[in-house]
Amino acid sequence: MRVGVYVDAYNLYYGGRGMCGRGTAGWRWLDIRSLAAAVVGQRVDWPGATLSRVVYCTARIDATTNASGHRDQDIYLKALVAAGSVDHIEYGKYVYRVKQAPLAVKDSHGRPQLVAPQWPIMVQNGGAPCSSAVFMASFANREEKGSDVNVAAHLLIDVLSQAVDAAVVISNDSDLSFPLREARKKVPVGLVNPSRNYLAGDLRGTRTDGVGRHWWRQLTPQDFTNHQLSDPVGKYARPVDW
């Protein structure tokens, strides 16, 4: 069974950071192939499964706004290729825009709750307090674009061209709902949630959908720390504090 692995690097990174801690070392220098092989190797319902293709979808950090982040990421991407940890890197991009949105805080369930005017800061309309006013904020927004689309494209191309017999997708992005449903009609699909959050509802299905033998798994902090690249990988050394 030839298995293709399709990684949403943005989702994987922030999932790992949420579980392991932003200031914690020992999880970022992740060996993608080793992690995927260990996860697939746990599946007794996928006998003879071997990784034939690992596709890593990411976007390069802008050096002008984050020079150290760009440098560390560049070292890591080169180390992934040098180690044979991935077979292909597909690049999206970061988009920087100024956006406007209502001012909000989180409620008890983490959902946005709009901030209403109240003393000592109050909005007035003709001298009368206006408690129904909405505060608007203008803010700089950095948004990663393309990784989810690239994951979906590579997944469906490989499945429909019969380049793989099964697929593993590492992401918890609900935008992948449709390509996952279509892929499950053709091949068994494993979905790996890289975050501590609940699996996105749109990504759920059943084991018997389509051709069947599908599965779902959530990563743990140990999955990150137990599957690290060697240091160094050739001439590429792990960045400090990684």
Side-chain angles (χ1 to χ4, degrees), residues 63-100:
T64 60
T65 58
N66 187 352
S68 63
H70 172 84
R71 181 178 60 254
D72 290 350
Q73 183 196 42
D74 185 63
I75 292 170
Y76 177 59
L77 295 174
K78 290 174 178 176
L80 286 177
V81 174
S85 185
V86 300
D87 298 300
H88 178 75
I89 299 178
E90 190 69 48
Y91 290 101
K93 61 182 179 180
Y94 280 98
V95 176
Y96 297 87
R97 295 191 179 101
V98 174
K99 288 190 172 184
Q100 294 81 37

PDB file of all heavy atoms in Angstrom, residues 63-100:
ATOM      1  N   ALA A  63      11.412  38.116   5.270  1.00  0.00           N
ATOM      2  CA  ALA A  63      12.651  38.518   5.948  1.00  0.00           C
ATOM      3  C   ALA A  63      12.627  39.982   6.367  1.00  0.00           C
ATOM      4  O   ALA A  63      13.298  40.366   7.330  1.00  0.00           O
ATOM      5  CB  ALA A  63      13.848  38.255   5.039  1.00  0.00           C
ATOM      6  N   THR A  64      11.859  40.822   5.680  1.00  0.00           N
ATOM      7  CA  THR A  64      11.843  42.247   6.003  1.00  0.00           C
ATOM      8  C   THR A  64      11.073  42.530   7.283  1.00  0.00           C
ATOM      9  O   THR A  64      11.329  43.530   7.957  1.00  0.00           O
ATOM     10  CB  THR A  64      11.227  43.065   4.854  1.00  0.00           C
ATOM     11  OG1 THR A  64       9.878  42.623   4.634  1.00  0.00           O
ATOM     12  CG2 THR A  64      12.032  42.876   3.573  1.00  0.00           C
ATOM     13  N   THR A  65      10.143  41.672   7.643  1.00  0.00           N
ATOM     14  CA  THR A  65       9.358  41.883   8.856  1.00  0.00           C
ATOM     15  C   THR A  65       9.767  40.958   9.995  1.00  0.00           C
ATOM     16  O   THR A  65       9.461  41.234  11.162  1.00  0.00           O
ATOM     17  CB  THR A  65       7.856  41.675   8.573  1.00  0.00           C
ATOM     18  OG1 THR A  65       7.651  40.347   8.062  1.00  0.00           O
ATOM     19  CG2 THR A  65       7.362  42.684   7.553  1.00  0.00           C
ATOM     20  N   ASN A  66      10.446  39.870   9.673  1.00  0.00           N
ATOM     21  CA  ASN A  66      10.858  38.906  10.705  1.00  0.00           C
ATOM     22  C   ASN A  66      12.122  38.204  10.235  1.00  0.00           C
ATOM     23  O   ASN A  66      12.087  37.065   9.761  1.00  0.00           O
ATOM     24  CB  ASN A  66       9.739  37.903  10.973  1.00  0.00           C
ATOM     25  CG  ASN A  66      10.050  36.981  12.142  1.00  0.00           C
ATOM     26  OD1 ASN A  66      11.156  36.978  12.686  1.00  0.00           O
ATOM     27  ND2 ASN A  66       9.079  36.170  12.519  1.00  0.00           N
ATOM     28  N   ALA A  67      13.249  38.897  10.379  1.00  0.00           N
ATOM     29  CA  ALA A  67      14.507  38.378   9.840  1.00  0.00           C
ATOM     30  C   ALA A  67      14.932  37.083  10.522  1.00  0.00           C
ATOM     31  O   ALA A  67      15.375  36.131   9.855  1.00  0.00           O
ATOM     32  CB  ALA A  67      15.607  39.437   9.991  1.00  0.00           C
ATOM     33  N   SER A  68      14.814  37.010  11.845  1.00  0.00           N
ATOM     34  CA  SER A  68      15.245  35.804  12.553  1.00  0.00           C
ATOM     35  C   SER A  68      14.332  34.623  12.242  1.00  0.00           C
ATOM     36  O   SER A  68      14.796  33.489  12.067  1.00  0.00           O
ATOM     37  CB  SER A  68      15.280  36.058  14.061  1.00  0.00           C
ATOM     38  OG  SER A  68      13.990  36.357  14.559  1.00  0.00           O
ATOM     39  N   GLY A  69      13.022  34.895  12.148  1.00  0.00           N
ATOM     40  CA  GLY A  69      12.083  33.829  11.801  1.00  0.00           C
ATOM     41  C   GLY A  69      12.335  33.301  10.406  1.00  0.00           C
ATOM     42  O   GLY A  69      12.276  32.091  10.164  1.00  0.00           O
ATOM     43  N   HIS A  70      12.627  34.210   9.484  1.00  0.00           N
ATOM     44  CA  HIS A  70      12.931  33.806   8.104  1.00  0.00           C
ATOM     45  C   HIS A  70      14.190  32.941   8.076  1.00  0.00           C
ATOM     46  O   HIS A  70      14.228  31.910   7.381  1.00  0.00           O
ATOM     47  CB  HIS A  70      13.122  35.048   7.235  1.00  0.00           C
ATOM     48  CG  HIS A  70      13.614  34.749   5.855  1.00  0.00           C
ATOM     49  ND1 HIS A  70      12.775  34.397   4.824  1.00  0.00           N
ATOM     50  CD2 HIS A  70      14.872  34.728   5.334  1.00  0.00           C
ATOM     51  CE1 HIS A  70      13.486  34.178   3.730  1.00  0.00           C
ATOM     52  NE2 HIS A  70      14.756  34.373   4.015  1.00  0.00           N
ATOM     53  N   ARG A  71      15.209  33.343   8.801  1.00  0.00           N
ATOM     54  CA  ARG A  71      16.469  32.600   8.812  1.00  0.00           C
ATOM     55  C   ARG A  71      16.283  31.206   9.399  1.00  0.00           C
ATOM     56  O   ARG A  71      16.750  30.211   8.833  1.00  0.00           O
ATOM     57  CB  ARG A  71      17.514  33.375   9.612  1.00  0.00           C
ATOM     58  CG  ARG A  71      18.878  32.701   9.666  1.00  0.00           C
ATOM     59  CD  ARG A  71      19.887  33.539  10.433  1.00  0.00           C
ATOM     60  NE  ARG A  71      19.475  33.781  11.818  1.00  0.00           N
ATOM     61  CZ  ARG A  71      19.016  34.934  12.283  1.00  0.00           C
ATOM     62  NH1 ARG A  71      18.914  35.988  11.484  1.00  0.00           N
ATOM     63  NH2 ARG A  71      18.667  35.066  13.552  1.00  0.00           N
ATOM     64  N   ASP A  72      15.589  31.114  10.531  1.00  0.00           N
ATOM     65  CA  ASP A  72      15.385  29.813  11.165  1.00  0.00           C
ATOM     66  C   ASP A  72      14.542  28.891  10.281  1.00  0.00           C
ATOM     67  O   ASP A  72      14.831  27.691  10.146  1.00  0.00           O
ATOM     68  CB  ASP A  72      14.696  29.989  12.521  1.00  0.00           C
ATOM     69  CG  ASP A  72      15.603  30.632  13.557  1.00  0.00           C
ATOM     70  OD1 ASP A  72      16.817  30.763  13.291  1.00  0.00           O
ATOM     71  OD2 ASP A  72      15.093  31.017  14.627  1.00  0.00           O
ATOM     72  N   GLN A  73      13.493  29.455   9.684  1.00  0.00           N
ATOM     73  CA  GLN A  73      12.650  28.636   8.810  1.00  0.00           C
ATOM     74  C   GLN A  73      13.425  28.147   7.595  1.00  0.00           C
ATOM     75  O   GLN A  73      13.280  26.985   7.182  1.00  0.00           O
ATOM     76  CB  GLN A  73      11.426  29.440   8.356  1.00  0.00           C
ATOM     77  CG  GLN A  73      10.472  28.620   7.491  1.00  0.00           C
ATOM     78  CD  GLN A  73       9.486  29.475   6.719  1.00  0.00           C
ATOM     79  OE1 GLN A  73       9.866  30.522   6.175  1.00  0.00           O
ATOM     80  NE2 GLN A  73       8.237  29.051   6.666  1.00  0.00           N
ATOM     81  N   ASP A  74      14.253  29.012   7.029  1.00  0.00           N
ATOM     82  CA  ASP A  74      15.038  28.626   5.855  1.00  0.00           C
ATOM     83  C   ASP A  74      15.976  27.460   6.177  1.00  0.00           C
ATOM     84  O   ASP A  74      16.109  26.516   5.378  1.00  0.00           O
ATOM     85  CB  ASP A  74      15.841  29.827   5.359  1.00  0.00           C
ATOM     86  CG  ASP A  74      16.580  29.524   4.071  1.00  0.00           C
ATOM     87  OD1 ASP A  74      15.922  29.241   3.054  1.00  0.00           O
ATOM     88  OD2 ASP A  74      17.832  29.547   4.078  1.00  0.00           O
ATOM     89  N   ILE A  75      16.603  27.501   7.341  1.00  0.00           N
ATOM     90  CA  ILE A  75      17.480  26.407   7.764  1.00  0.00           C
ATOM     91  C   ILE A  75      16.670  25.114   7.889  1.00  0.00           C
ATOM     92  O   ILE A  75      17.095  24.044   7.435  1.00  0.00           O
ATOM     93  CB  ILE A  75      18.164  26.749   9.101  1.00  0.00           C
ATOM     94  CG1 ILE A  75      19.156  27.893   8.911  1.00  0.00           C
ATOM     95  CG2 ILE A  75      18.871  25.526   9.682  1.00  0.00           C
ATOM     96  CD1 ILE A  75      19.703  28.445  10.216  1.00  0.00           C
ATOM     97  N   TYR A  76      15.500  25.214   8.495  1.00  0.00           N
ATOM     98  CA  TYR A  76      14.668  24.023   8.703  1.00  0.00           C
ATOM     99  C   TYR A  76      14.208  23.417   7.385  1.00  0.00           C
ATOM    100  O   TYR A  76      14.268  22.187   7.189  1.00  0.00           O
ATOM    101  CB  TYR A  76      13.472  24.383   9.572  1.00  0.00           C
ATOM    102  CG  TYR A  76      12.514  23.237   9.786  1.00  0.00           C
ATOM    103  CD1 TYR A  76      12.942  22.043  10.379  1.00  0.00           C
ATOM    104  CD2 TYR A  76      11.175  23.333   9.414  1.00  0.00           C
ATOM    105  CE1 TYR A  76      12.064  20.986  10.591  1.00  0.00           C
ATOM    106  CE2 TYR A  76      10.289  22.289   9.622  1.00  0.00           C
ATOM    107  CZ  TYR A  76      10.742  21.115  10.205  1.00  0.00           C
ATOM    108  OH  TYR A  76       9.870  20.070  10.406  1.00  0.00           O
ATOM    109  N   LEU A  77      13.764  24.260   6.463  1.00  0.00           N
ATOM    110  CA  LEU A  77      13.299  23.752   5.168  1.00  0.00           C
ATOM    111  C   LEU A  77      14.432  23.052   4.414  1.00  0.00           C
ATOM    112  O   LEU A  77      14.228  21.994   3.798  1.00  0.00           O
ATOM    113  CB  LEU A  77      12.723  24.898   4.332  1.00  0.00           C
ATOM    114  CG  LEU A  77      11.453  25.554   4.884  1.00  0.00           C
ATOM    115  CD1 LEU A  77      11.074  26.761   4.034  1.00  0.00           C
ATOM    116  CD2 LEU A  77      10.313  24.556   4.950  1.00  0.00           C
ATOM    117  N   LYS A  78      15.627  23.626   4.464  1.00  0.00           N
ATOM    118  CA  LYS A  78      16.770  22.999   3.804  1.00  0.00           C
ATOM    119  C   LYS A  78      17.149  21.685   4.491  1.00  0.00           C
ATOM    120  O   LYS A  78      17.531  20.712   3.825  1.00  0.00           O
ATOM    121  CB  LYS A  78      17.957  23.955   3.792  1.00  0.00           C
ATOM    122  CG  LYS A  78      17.758  25.146   2.851  1.00  0.00           C
ATOM    123  CD  LYS A  78      18.886  26.157   2.953  1.00  0.00           C
ATOM    124  CE  LYS A  78      18.686  27.302   1.973  1.00  0.00           C
ATOM    125  NZ  LYS A  78      19.722  28.351   2.115  1.00  0.00           N
ATOM    126  N   ALA A  79      17.008  21.643   5.822  1.00  0.00           N
ATOM    127  CA  ALA A  79      17.306  20.416   6.560  1.00  0.00           C
ATOM    128  C   ALA A  79      16.300  19.323   6.224  1.00  0.00           C
ATOM    129  O   ALA A  79      16.669  18.151   6.104  1.00  0.00           O
ATOM    130  CB  ALA A  79      17.312  20.696   8.055  1.00  0.00           C
ATOM    131  N   LEU A  80      15.022  19.680   6.065  1.00  0.00           N
ATOM    132  CA  LEU A  80      14.007  18.693   5.689  1.00  0.00           C
ATOM    133  C   LEU A  80      14.357  18.015   4.370  1.00  0.00           C
ATOM    134  O   LEU A  80      14.252  16.793   4.229  1.00  0.00           O
ATOM    135  CB  LEU A  80      12.638  19.355   5.574  1.00  0.00           C
ATOM    136  CG  LEU A  80      11.910  19.746   6.854  1.00  0.00           C
ATOM    137  CD1 LEU A  80      10.609  20.457   6.528  1.00  0.00           C
ATOM    138  CD2 LEU A  80      11.634  18.524   7.728  1.00  0.00           C
ATOM    139  N   VAL A  81      14.764  18.816   3.400  1.00  0.00           N
ATOM    140  CA  VAL A  81      15.117  18.270   2.085  1.00  0.00           C
ATOM    141  C   VAL A  81      16.393  17.438   2.178  1.00  0.00           C
ATOM    142  O   VAL A  81      16.478  16.327   1.634  1.00  0.00           O
ATOM    143  CB  VAL A  81      15.276  19.407   1.061  1.00  0.00           C
ATOM    144  CG1 VAL A  81      15.782  18.870  -0.269  1.00  0.00           C
ATOM    145  CG2 VAL A  81      13.943  20.138   0.874  1.00  0.00           C
ATOM    146  N   ALA A  82      17.400  17.963   2.875  1.00  0.00           N
ATOM    147  CA  ALA A  82      18.683  17.263   2.988  1.00  0.00           C
ATOM    148  C   ALA A  82      18.532  15.921   3.690  1.00  0.00           C
ATOM    149  O   ALA A  82      19.225  14.947   3.356  1.00  0.00           O
ATOM    150  CB  ALA A  82      19.689  18.138   3.735  1.00  0.00           C
ATOM    151  N   ALA A  83      17.621  15.847   4.653  1.00  0.00           N
ATOM    152  CA  ALA A  83      17.417  14.613   5.403  1.00  0.00           C
ATOM    153  C   ALA A  83      16.499  13.637   4.680  1.00  0.00           C
ATOM    154  O   ALA A  83      16.345  12.496   5.125  1.00  0.00           O
ATOM    155  CB  ALA A  83      16.838  14.932   6.780  1.00  0.00           C
ATOM    156  N   GLY A  84      15.875  14.072   3.584  1.00  0.00           N
ATOM    157  CA  GLY A  84      14.894  13.225   2.924  1.00  0.00           C
ATOM    158  C   GLY A  84      13.613  13.088   3.732  1.00  0.00           C
ATOM    159  O   GLY A  84      12.848  12.140   3.557  1.00  0.00           O
ATOM    160  N   SER A  85      13.366  14.049   4.619  1.00  0.00           N
ATOM    161  CA  SER A  85      12.184  14.004   5.471  1.00  0.00           C
ATOM    162  C   SER A  85      10.920  14.348   4.696  1.00  0.00           C
ATOM    163  O   SER A  85       9.822  13.960   5.091  1.00  0.00           O
ATOM    164  CB  SER A  85      12.357  14.964   6.649  1.00  0.00           C
ATOM    165  OG  SER A  85      11.286  14.865   7.546  1.00  0.00           O
ATOM    166  N   VAL A  86      11.068  15.107   3.613  1.00  0.00           N
ATOM    167  CA  VAL A  86       9.948  15.402   2.713  1.00  0.00           C
ATOM    168  C   VAL A  86      10.415  15.176   1.285  1.00  0.00           C
ATOM    169  O   VAL A  86      11.599  15.261   0.977  1.00  0.00           O
ATOM    170  CB  VAL A  86       9.428  16.843   2.888  1.00  0.00           C
ATOM    171  CG1 VAL A  86       8.937  17.090   4.310  1.00  0.00           C
ATOM    172  CG2 VAL A  86      10.489  17.862   2.509  1.00  0.00           C
ATOM    173  N   ASP A  87       9.455  14.891   0.409  1.00  0.00           N
ATOM    174  CA  ASP A  87       9.769  14.694  -1.006  1.00  0.00           C
ATOM    175  C   ASP A  87       9.514  15.946  -1.836  1.00  0.00           C
ATOM    176  O   ASP A  87      10.114  16.120  -2.894  1.00  0.00           O
ATOM    177  CB  ASP A  87       8.935  13.533  -1.568  1.00  0.00           C
ATOM    178  CG  ASP A  87       9.242  12.227  -0.871  1.00  0.00           C
ATOM    179  OD1 ASP A  87      10.415  11.797  -0.914  1.00  0.00           O
ATOM    180  OD2 ASP A  87       8.327  11.641  -0.265  1.00  0.00           O
ATOM    181  N   HIS A  88       8.616  16.780  -1.352  1.00  0.00           N
ATOM    182  CA  HIS A  88       8.283  17.994  -2.110  1.00  0.00           C
ATOM    183  C   HIS A  88       7.787  19.063  -1.149  1.00  0.00           C
ATOM    184  O   HIS A  88       7.011  18.777  -0.226  1.00  0.00           O
ATOM    185  CB  HIS A  88       7.202  17.691  -3.148  1.00  0.00           C
ATOM    186  CG  HIS A  88       6.780  18.893  -3.937  1.00  0.00           C
ATOM    187  ND1 HIS A  88       7.555  19.451  -4.931  1.00  0.00           N
ATOM    188  CD2 HIS A  88       5.661  19.661  -3.864  1.00  0.00           C
ATOM    189  CE1 HIS A  88       6.937  20.495  -5.448  1.00  0.00           C
ATOM    190  NE2 HIS A  88       5.784  20.646  -4.813  1.00  0.00           N
ATOM    191  N   ILE A  89       8.246  20.292  -1.343  1.00  0.00           N
ATOM    192  CA  ILE A  89       7.742  21.441  -0.590  1.00  0.00           C
ATOM    193  C   ILE A  89       6.979  22.342  -1.550  1.00  0.00           C
ATOM    194  O   ILE A  89       7.520  22.774  -2.572  1.00  0.00           O
ATOM    195  CB  ILE A  89       8.879  22.233   0.083  1.00  0.00           C
ATOM    196  CG1 ILE A  89       9.638  21.350   1.075  1.00  0.00           C
ATOM    197  CG2 ILE A  89       8.316  23.460   0.807  1.00  0.00           C
ATOM    198  CD1 ILE A  89      10.806  22.040   1.757  1.00  0.00           C
ATOM    199  N   GLU A  90       5.729  22.592  -1.232  1.00  0.00           N
ATOM    200  CA  GLU A  90       4.887  23.476  -2.042  1.00  0.00           C
ATOM    201  C   GLU A  90       4.690  24.774  -1.271  1.00  0.00           C
ATOM    202  O   GLU A  90       4.292  24.758  -0.098  1.00  0.00           O
ATOM    203  CB  GLU A  90       3.532  22.823  -2.317  1.00  0.00           C
ATOM    204  CG  GLU A  90       2.687  23.560  -3.336  1.00  0.00           C
ATOM    205  CD  GLU A  90       3.251  23.477  -4.749  1.00  0.00           C
ATOM    206  OE1 GLU A  90       3.608  22.366  -5.184  1.00  0.00           O
ATOM    207  OE2 GLU A  90       3.343  24.538  -5.405  1.00  0.00           O
ATOM    208  N   TYR A  91       4.961  25.908  -1.929  1.00  0.00           N
ATOM    209  CA  TYR A  91       4.937  27.187  -1.234  1.00  0.00           C
ATOM    210  C   TYR A  91       3.677  27.996  -1.532  1.00  0.00           C
ATOM    211  O   TYR A  91       3.289  28.160  -2.689  1.00  0.00           O
ATOM    212  CB  TYR A  91       6.158  28.022  -1.622  1.00  0.00           C
ATOM    213  CG  TYR A  91       7.452  27.472  -1.076  1.00  0.00           C
ATOM    214  CD1 TYR A  91       8.312  26.733  -1.888  1.00  0.00           C
ATOM    215  CD2 TYR A  91       7.813  27.666   0.256  1.00  0.00           C
ATOM    216  CE1 TYR A  91       9.502  26.214  -1.395  1.00  0.00           C
ATOM    217  CE2 TYR A  91       8.989  27.156   0.761  1.00  0.00           C
ATOM    218  CZ  TYR A  91       9.830  26.427  -0.064  1.00  0.00           C
ATOM    219  OH  TYR A  91      10.995  25.910   0.437  1.00  0.00           O
ATOM    220  N   GLY A  92       3.069  28.483  -0.475  1.00  0.00           N
ATOM    221  CA  GLY A  92       2.062  29.519  -0.575  1.00  0.00           C
ATOM    222  C   GLY A  92       2.734  30.847  -0.283  1.00  0.00           C
ATOM    223  O   GLY A  92       3.913  31.039  -0.616  1.00  0.00           O
ATOM    224  N   LYS A  93       2.027  31.761   0.382  1.00  0.00           N
ATOM    225  CA  LYS A  93       2.632  33.049   0.685  1.00  0.00           C
ATOM    226  C   LYS A  93       1.930  33.683   1.874  1.00  0.00           C
ATOM    227  O   LYS A  93       0.825  33.287   2.259  1.00  0.00           O
ATOM    228  CB  LYS A  93       2.548  33.989  -0.519  1.00  0.00           C
ATOM    229  CG  LYS A  93       1.125  34.296  -0.972  1.00  0.00           C
ATOM    230  CD  LYS A  93       1.128  35.191  -2.210  1.00  0.00           C
ATOM    231  CE  LYS A  93      -0.294  35.472  -2.675  1.00  0.00           C
ATOM    232  NZ  LYS A  93      -0.325  36.343  -3.877  1.00  0.00           N
ATOM    233  N   TYR A  94       2.625  34.659   2.472  1.00  0.00           N
ATOM    234  CA  TYR A  94       2.027  35.478   3.514  1.00  0.00           C
ATOM    235  C   TYR A  94       1.541  36.784   2.888  1.00  0.00           C
ATOM    236  O   TYR A  94       2.223  37.378   2.059  1.00  0.00           O
ATOM    237  CB  TYR A  94       3.030  35.791   4.622  1.00  0.00           C
ATOM    238  CG  TYR A  94       3.212  34.660   5.612  1.00  0.00           C
ATOM    239  CD1 TYR A  94       4.284  33.788   5.500  1.00  0.00           C
ATOM    240  CD2 TYR A  94       2.298  34.471   6.645  1.00  0.00           C
ATOM    241  CE1 TYR A  94       4.450  32.752   6.412  1.00  0.00           C
ATOM    242  CE2 TYR A  94       2.450  33.433   7.555  1.00  0.00           C
ATOM    243  CZ  TYR A  94       3.535  32.580   7.428  1.00  0.00           C
ATOM    244  OH  TYR A  94       3.681  31.546   8.317  1.00  0.00           O
ATOM    245  N   VAL A  95       0.349  37.200   3.284  1.00  0.00           N
ATOM    246  CA  VAL A  95      -0.238  38.438   2.791  1.00  0.00           C
ATOM    247  C   VAL A  95      -0.398  39.388   3.975  1.00  0.00           C
ATOM    248  O   VAL A  95      -0.923  38.994   5.025  1.00  0.00           O
ATOM    249  CB  VAL A  95      -1.602  38.187   2.126  1.00  0.00           C
ATOM    250  CG1 VAL A  95      -2.240  39.503   1.705  1.00  0.00           C
ATOM    251  CG2 VAL A  95      -1.440  37.262   0.917  1.00  0.00           C
ATOM    252  N   TYR A  96       0.063  40.629   3.810  1.00  0.00           N
ATOM    253  CA  TYR A  96      -0.022  41.643   4.874  1.00  0.00           C
ATOM    254  C   TYR A  96      -1.024  42.714   4.449  1.00  0.00           C
ATOM    255  O   TYR A  96      -0.892  43.309   3.382  1.00  0.00           O
ATOM    256  CB  TYR A  96       1.348  42.264   5.122  1.00  0.00           C
ATOM    257  CG  TYR A  96       2.373  41.274   5.607  1.00  0.00           C
ATOM    258  CD1 TYR A  96       3.122  40.518   4.721  1.00  0.00           C
ATOM    259  CD2 TYR A  96       2.572  41.074   6.975  1.00  0.00           C
ATOM    260  CE1 TYR A  96       4.051  39.593   5.173  1.00  0.00           C
ATOM    261  CE2 TYR A  96       3.500  40.161   7.435  1.00  0.00           C
ATOM    262  CZ  TYR A  96       4.232  39.424   6.531  1.00  0.00           C
ATOM    263  OH  TYR A  96       5.147  38.502   6.975  1.00  0.00           O
ATOM    264  N   ARG A  97      -2.027  42.928   5.290  1.00  0.00           N
ATOM    265  CA  ARG A  97      -3.062  43.911   4.983  1.00  0.00           C
ATOM    266  C   ARG A  97      -3.448  44.658   6.254  1.00  0.00           C
ATOM    267  O   ARG A  97      -3.245  44.166   7.365  1.00  0.00           O
ATOM    268  CB  ARG A  97      -4.314  43.226   4.424  1.00  0.00           C
ATOM    269  CG  ARG A  97      -4.144  42.522   3.081  1.00  0.00           C
ATOM    270  CD  ARG A  97      -5.511  42.140   2.526  1.00  0.00           C
ATOM    271  NE  ARG A  97      -5.427  41.481   1.225  1.00  0.00           N
ATOM    272  CZ  ARG A  97      -5.515  40.180   1.040  1.00  0.00           C
ATOM    273  NH1 ARG A  97      -5.690  39.380   2.079  1.00  0.00           N
ATOM    274  NH2 ARG A  97      -5.445  39.652  -0.164  1.00  0.00           N
ATOM    275  N   VAL A  98      -4.036  45.837   6.057  1.00  0.00           N
ATOM    276  CA  VAL A  98      -4.685  46.544   7.160  1.00  0.00           C
ATOM    277  C   VAL A  98      -6.167  46.207   7.093  1.00  0.00           C
ATOM    278  O   VAL A  98      -6.810  46.360   6.064  1.00  0.00           O
ATOM    279  CB  VAL A  98      -4.479  48.065   7.046  1.00  0.00           C
ATOM    280  CG1 VAL A  98      -5.297  48.790   8.124  1.00  0.00           C
ATOM    281  CG2 VAL A  98      -3.004  48.413   7.185  1.00  0.00           C
ATOM    282  N   LYS A  99      -6.702  45.713   8.219  1.00  0.00           N
ATOM    283  CA  LYS A  99      -8.108  45.336   8.265  1.00  0.00           C
ATOM    284  C   LYS A  99      -8.834  46.115   9.351  1.00  0.00           C
ATOM    285  O   LYS A  99      -8.206  46.674  10.254  1.00  0.00           O
ATOM    286  CB  LYS A  99      -8.248  43.826   8.534  1.00  0.00           C
ATOM    287  CG  LYS A  99      -7.846  42.953   7.348  1.00  0.00           C
ATOM    288  CD  LYS A  99      -8.240  41.502   7.598  1.00  0.00           C
ATOM    289  CE  LYS A  99      -8.015  40.665   6.356  1.00  0.00           C
ATOM    290  NZ  LYS A  99      -8.481  39.255   6.547  1.00  0.00           N
ATOM    291  N   GLN A 100     -10.156  46.151   9.231  1.00  0.00           N
ATOM    292  CA  GLN A 100     -10.991  46.766  10.256  1.00  0.00           C
ATOM    293  C   GLN A 100     -11.958  45.710  10.782  1.00  0.00           C
ATOM    294  O   GLN A 100     -12.470  44.889  10.016  1.00  0.00           O
ATOM    295  CB  GLN A 100     -11.782  47.954   9.696  1.00  0.00           C
ATOM    296  CG  GLN A 100     -10.932  49.138   9.254  1.00  0.00           C
ATOM    297  CD  GLN A 100     -10.332  48.959   7.884  1.00  0.00           C
ATOM    298  OE1 GLN A 100     -10.958  48.392   6.991  1.00  0.00           O
ATOM    299  NE2 GLN A 100      -9.114  49.449   7.701  1.00  0.00           N
TER     300      GLN A 100
END
